[in-house]
Amino acid sequence: GGTAMAAVRDVEIDPEGTFKYILVRLQRPGGEEQRDIVRGTKAAEFHNHIFEKVNPEMEKLGYECKCLGGGKIDHNSKDKKIRVFGLSTGYGKADHSVTVEILKKTYTDYEITWSDDKK
């Protein structure tokens, strides 16, 4: 069953702009296999809106989801730059350094940075 988890994309974020994001850990119930994914969108007014969308999708695939925290992403596709910053009031601050490593897998030719700045 490694294939299903591989089918889940590491990153799903809006192609442009500044928006909230969360870092989510997927795990097979009772299994060792786990993976962290990044999800972010302008459509979400609050961080939990993102989780409420991701969680049922992942449960259908047989994963337990845990939100590891959140923040904001500033995605500049023209300059190929992504900045990760801020925090989630509800979930706390994600480990942005982990988020950056995950983003780098998808956005290989981008300059990706993070900071603990609020804005």
Side-chain angles (χ1 to χ4, degrees), residues 35-93:
R35 229 181 104 190
D36 296 344
I37 60 171
V38 174
R39 294 291 183 269
T41 175
K42 274 190 278 240
E45 194 184 345
F46 300 105
H47 286 91
N48 63 303
H49 291 170
I50 307 172
F51 189 72
E52 282 161 14
K53 188 177 170 292
V54 174
N55 198 33
E57 288 173 9
M58 296 303 147
E59 282 183 342
K60 268 191 219 125
L61 298 171
Y63 301 114
E64 288 172 347
C65 285
K66 189 170 115 196
C67 184
L68 302 178
K72 283 185 168 173
I73 285 176
D74 181 22
H75 188 172
N76 181 336
S77 54
K78 187 169 64 75
D79 296 341
K80 297 199 169 180
K81 284 184 179 174
I82 293 177
R83 187 169 71 96
V84 184
F85 64 101
L87 51 80
S88 160
T89 323
Y91 297 119
K93 186 177 82 69

Side-chain angles (χ1 to χ4, degrees), residues 5 8 18-19 21-22 25 29 31 37 41 45 49 53 64 75 91 93 97 100 104-106 110 114-115:
M5 193 175 262
V8 176
T18 304
F19 43 85
Y21 94 88
I22 57 171
R25 174 155 294 165
I37 60 171
T41 175
E45 194 184 345
H49 291 170
K53 188 177 170 292
E64 288 172 347
H75 188 172
Y91 297 119
K93 186 177 82 69
S97 63
V100 165
K104 279 178 180 169
K105 290 196 271 184
T106 300
Y110 269 60
W114 68 273
S115 77

